[in-house]
């Protein structure tokens, strides 16, 4: 609609916003009218109309099998459009049109904003299935007529009341028609069923809806007064009412076809099961987060016990082995801590990578500088946990073997610090659906004849097992271009959602 309006018409941005507001609401008019709606706007030169939006009813057969959006019609071909635009009134004159052997009643409703007619809604009703209307259908049609007059007068839609039609009640969900005092004139079967769910034993017709709703809701005090006003239809508002184990969603639409309010439409929907499922999901999410939190606490306890045991061991080799185990447990704890703060089983891995890098760098404080480039992005928990361990092992191996005590990092005499860089590339042209991680240091490099696929080091065994077994990726370890070692991990990952 934006492109069509800007290309073909002279409407301003504020006029376009008004049309968007109308289109967000006009499913209501279409369903109440049992009719298709097409919005026609005059072109910049005034010689034609362009159709910028279309809506089909959920309550009846369509009059248009084809999409009408983008069609251009010369002025004069449809006199009812001309009359509605020029005179600013609803035009209902004329005989039914025949389209593919289907009689269609056509009406034109001017769309007014601040005294100006912006366009015309063509309301097209398929007459093939017309029968003697029921009380429900008569209420629908009368309400549609009131709304059409409000559109023609510029009183509908309501400014500042953008409605999410996917979340708001629709006509078929339940409808109540009130008079000016808030007394129920008609309630559809679905509306009655929803109120019976709240605990209403009697019929609604003849009762004041606001008072009846407040009596069914368990709250008391000022909330009751606001609920009485809302359910009486005094202003365009939405709310939910809960009582007797049921929950209904209400939307009030004041009807002012000639200025003063003559009554209101109340659209409502029984959302009891929907809210119950939402609460179950919230409880489930909270339980999962609490489990991750407790796992993290337990892992930290294990790490503390291992650290305590390491201090009591006289053997340097045994102490070093326990400290390695502490770091491995700590890397897993970081993932669970992050998962305990999220709403799903996915984590932003960049923060985890930075924390692992800082934790491992404690091995040689001040001697080696670590940094990360690129983005890991959001990863599933089943990828994040083994990847954090792999990253811990690779970094630990680089710091311990690439920068052994007494070495001059970088091979430069007098230089006090070496460097380890973690680089992540994800979702590029050649890496779609994959994560490429490179860990490169400028340390002493690999010993001659070293084979990473056969090395018996425990850390490398862990890396190979996790990368190739759990992550389904590949692992390679080779000399860096200038000096040091380069480790490359290629891991399949799910596409990142933005």
């Amino acid at each position: 609609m934006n492109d069509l309006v800007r290309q073909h018409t002279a409407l301003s941005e504020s006029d376009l916003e008004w049309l968007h507001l109308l289109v967000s609401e006009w499913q209501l008019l279409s369903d109440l009218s049992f009719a298709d709606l097409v919005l026609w706007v005059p072109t910049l030169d005034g010689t034609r109309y362009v159709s910028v939006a279309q809506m089909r009813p959920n309550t009846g057969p369509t009059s248009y099998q084809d999409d009408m959006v983008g069609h251009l019609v010369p002025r004069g071909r449809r006199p009812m459009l001309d009359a509605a635009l020029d005179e600013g009134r609803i035009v209902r004159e004329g005989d039914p049109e025949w389209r593919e052997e289907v009689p269609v009643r056509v009406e034109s409703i001017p769309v007014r904003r601040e005294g100006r007619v912006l366009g015309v809604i063509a309301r097209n009703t398929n007459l093939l299935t017309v029968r003697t209307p029921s009380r429900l259908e008569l209420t629908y049609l009368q309400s549609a007529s009131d709304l059409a007059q409000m559109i023609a007068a510029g009183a509908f839609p309501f400014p500042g009341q953008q409605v999410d039609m996917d979340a708001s009640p629709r006509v078929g969900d339940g409808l109540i028609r009130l008079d000016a005092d808030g007394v129920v004139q008609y309630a559809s079967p679905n509306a009655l069923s929803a109120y019976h769910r709240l605990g209403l034993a009697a019929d609604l017709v003849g009762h004041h809806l606001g008072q009846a709703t407040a009596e069914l809701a368990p709250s008391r005090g000022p909330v009751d007064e606001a609920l009485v006003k809302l359910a009486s239809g005094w202003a365009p508002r939405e709310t939910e009412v809960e009582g007797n184990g049921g929950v209904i969603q209400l939307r009030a639409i004041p009807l002012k076809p000639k200025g003063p309010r003559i009554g209101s439409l109340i659209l409502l929907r029984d959302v009891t099961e929907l809210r119950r499922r939402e609460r179950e999901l919230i409880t489930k999410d909270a339980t999962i987060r609490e489990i991750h939190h407790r796992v993290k606490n337990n892992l930290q306890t294990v790490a503390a016990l291992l650290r305590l045991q390491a201090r009591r061991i006289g053997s340097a080799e045994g102490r070093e082995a326990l400290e390695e185990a502490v770091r491995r447990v700590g890397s897993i704890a970081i993932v669970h801590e992050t998962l305990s703060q999220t709403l799903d089983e996915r984590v932003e891995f960049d923060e985890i990578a930075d924390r692992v890098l800082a934790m491992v760098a404690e091995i040689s404080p001040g001697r080696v500088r670590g940094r990360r480039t690129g983005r890991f992005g959001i990863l599933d928990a089943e990828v994040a946990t083994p990847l954090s361990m792999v990253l811990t092992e690779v970094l630990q191996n680089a710091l311990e073997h690439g920068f052994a005590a007494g070495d001059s990092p970088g091979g430069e005499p007098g230089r006090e610090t070496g460097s380890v860089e973690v680089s992540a590339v994800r979702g590029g042209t050649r890496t779609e659906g994959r994560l490429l991680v490179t860990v490169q240091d400028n340390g002493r490099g690999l010993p001659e004849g070293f084979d990473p696929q056969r090395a018996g080091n425990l850390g490398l065994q862990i890396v190979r097992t996790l990368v190739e077994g759990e992550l389904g990726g590949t692992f390679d370890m080779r000399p860096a271009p200038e000096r040091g070692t380069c480790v490359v991990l290629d891991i399949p990952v799910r596409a990142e959602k933005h």
Side-chain angles (χ1 to χ4, degrees):
M1 185 166 75
N2 286 347
D3 293 341
L4 289 170
V5 168
R6 289 167 182 158
Q7 179 182 354
H8 293 286
T9 78
L11 297 182
S12 65
E13 290 298 317
S14 57
D15 292 335
L16 179 57
E17 286 299 318
W18 182 263
L19 295 184
H20 274 293
L21 191 60
L22 171 67
V23 168
S24 72
E25 292 272 29
W26 71 344
Q27 180 73 65
L28 173 63
L29 177 63
S30 178
D31 290 345
L32 290 172
S33 304
F34 308 97
D36 290 75
L37 306 178
V38 179
L39 178 57
W40 297 92
V41 180
T43 57
L44 183 61
D45 57 9
T47 62
R48 296 180 296 176
Y49 297 96
V50 58
S51 58
V52 298
Q54 179 178 359
M55 178 58 66
R56 293 183 172 89
N58 293 318
T59 52
T62 183
S63 302
Y64 286 110
Q65 298 299 327
D66 299 327
D67 187 2
M68 295 296 296
V69 175
H71 283 214
L72 290 164
V73 174
R75 184 178 172 88
R77 180 174 295 180
R78 300 192 178 184
M80 295 176 69
L81 292 181
D82 299 339
L85 182 69
D86 297 340
E87 302 172 23
R89 65 180 179 88
I90 299 176
V91 180
R92 296 191 175 93
E93 297 88 354
D95 297 326
E97 296 181 2
W98 287 84
R99 298 176 189 162
E100 298 179 358
E101 300 183 354
V102 175
V104 177
R105 182 175 64 241
V106 181
E107 303 165 88
S108 296
I109 305 167
V111 177
R112 191 182 303 272
R113 174 180 179 264
E114 297 179 352
R116 296 180 300 112
V117 178
L118 307 182
V120 179
I121 295 176
R123 181 164 55 175
N124 303 269
T125 307
N126 187 325
L127 299 178
L128 200 61
T129 58
V130 169
R131 60 185 186 280
T132 303
S134 64
R135 178 73 187 280
L136 180 143
E137 290 169 331
L138 288 172
T139 303
Y140 277 20
L141 293 171
Q142 180 58 53
S143 301
S145 177
D146 294 335
L147 283 178
Q149 292 182 59
M150 291 171 65
I151 292 173
F156 186 84
F158 303 109
Q161 292 290 323
Q162 188 84 25
V163 175
D164 182 0
M165 291 306 298
D166 291 332
S168 293
R170 299 197 176 196
V171 170
D173 295 327
L175 177 142
I176 297 175
R177 174 86 185 217
L178 308 179
D179 64 15
D181 297 322
V183 177
V184 178
Q185 294 180 311
Y186 175 78
S188 72
N190 284 348
L192 282 174
S193 297
Y195 265 84
H196 289 159
R197 187 76 174 262
L198 290 182
L200 181 72
D203 194 0
L204 274 174
V205 176
H207 291 79
H208 190 278
L209 184 66
Q211 295 174 359
T213 304
E215 290 172 0
L216 295 171
S219 58
R220 292 290 180 267
V223 176
D224 273 0
E225 297 177 9
L227 185 58
V228 169
K229 287 187 177 180
L230 189 146
S232 300
W234 288 93
R237 295 287 187 274
E238 287 193 36
T239 192
E240 286 189 3
V241 180
E242 185 170 357
N244 194 41
V247 185
I248 62 172
Q249 185 181 13
L250 295 178
R251 182 190 176 198
I253 303 171
L255 297 176
K256 305 175 181 179
K258 297 181 180 179
R261 190 175 67 88
I262 64 168
S264 304
L265 276 183
I266 305 294
L267 301 181
L268 65 152
R269 176 170 57 183
D270 185 346
V271 292
T272 304
E273 293 304 313
L274 178 63
R275 296 296 175 261
R276 182 184 63 80
R277 288 195 294 269
E278 287 178 352
R279 287 166 184 164
E280 287 179 352
L281 287 174
I282 291 172
T283 302
K284 178 183 176 183
D285 289 341
T287 302
I288 291 173
R289 289 199 298 273
E290 178 62 22
I291 289 172
H292 284 303
H293 181 71
R294 294 189 181 188
V295 169
K296 182 263 297 184
N297 288 344
N298 290 338
L299 289 172
Q300 288 180 337
T301 301
V302 171
L305 291 173
L306 291 173
R307 194 177 293 112
L308 183 63
Q309 186 67 38
R311 292 172 184 167
R312 294 175 175 269
I313 292 180
S315 166
E317 185 177 350
R319 186 164 54 252
E320 184 178 339
L322 286 177
E323 287 173 351
E324 286 185 3
V326 168
R327 286 188 286 273
R328 287 165 184 152
V329 172
S331 66
I332 302 174
I334 291 173
V335 177
H336 283 282
E337 181 181 3
T338 307
L339 287 169
S340 70
Q341 300 168 3
T342 63
L343 296 177
D344 55 14
E345 290 291 286
R346 310 191 78 196
V347 296
E348 178 64 63
F349 197 81
D350 293 335
E351 179 185 351
I352 293 175
D354 291 341
R355 292 179 63 180
V356 168
L357 191 60
M359 178 182 67
V360 177
E362 294 174 0
I363 300 173
S364 53
R367 295 183 58 250
V368 180
R369 182 182 65 254
R371 72 182 185 119
R372 171 181 60 83
T373 61
R375 285 189 68 250
F376 286 86
I378 298 174
L379 297 176
D380 295 333
E382 57 265 27
V383 174
T385 302
L387 182 57
S388 68
M389 283 198 66
V390 168
L391 198 57
T392 301
E393 295 298 332
V394 172
L395 288 169
Q396 185 167 282
N397 189 73
L399 294 173
E400 287 185 351
H401 301 288
F403 304 101
D407 276 2
S408 176
E412 299 176 14
R415 183 175 174 184
E416 297 181 352
T417 58
S419 66
V420 178
E421 180 175 317
V422 178
S423 173
V425 178
R426 181 173 180 180
T429 305
R430 298 182 180 180
T431 58
E432 188 65 35
R434 305 193 73 82
L435 173 64
L436 190 66
V437 181
T438 304
V439 180
Q440 183 169 318
D441 65 67
N442 63 347
R444 63 165 63 174
L446 297 172
E448 190 172 343
F450 180 81
D451 184 357
Q453 301 302 326
R454 297 178 179 273
N457 180 288
L458 175 61
L460 291 181
Q461 288 181 16
I462 292 174
V463 171
R464 284 198 299 269
T465 301
L466 292 177
V467 172
E468 298 172 1
E470 287 199 34
L471 296 175
T474 60
F475 160 71
D476 188 24
M477 196 174 189
R478 54 180 179 258
E482 295 182 2
R483 175 185 170 88
T485 305
C486 181
V487 176
V488 179
L489 309 173
D490 189 352
I491 302 166
V493 292
R494 192 166 67 174
E496 189 172 6
K497 295 180 181 179
H498 297 284

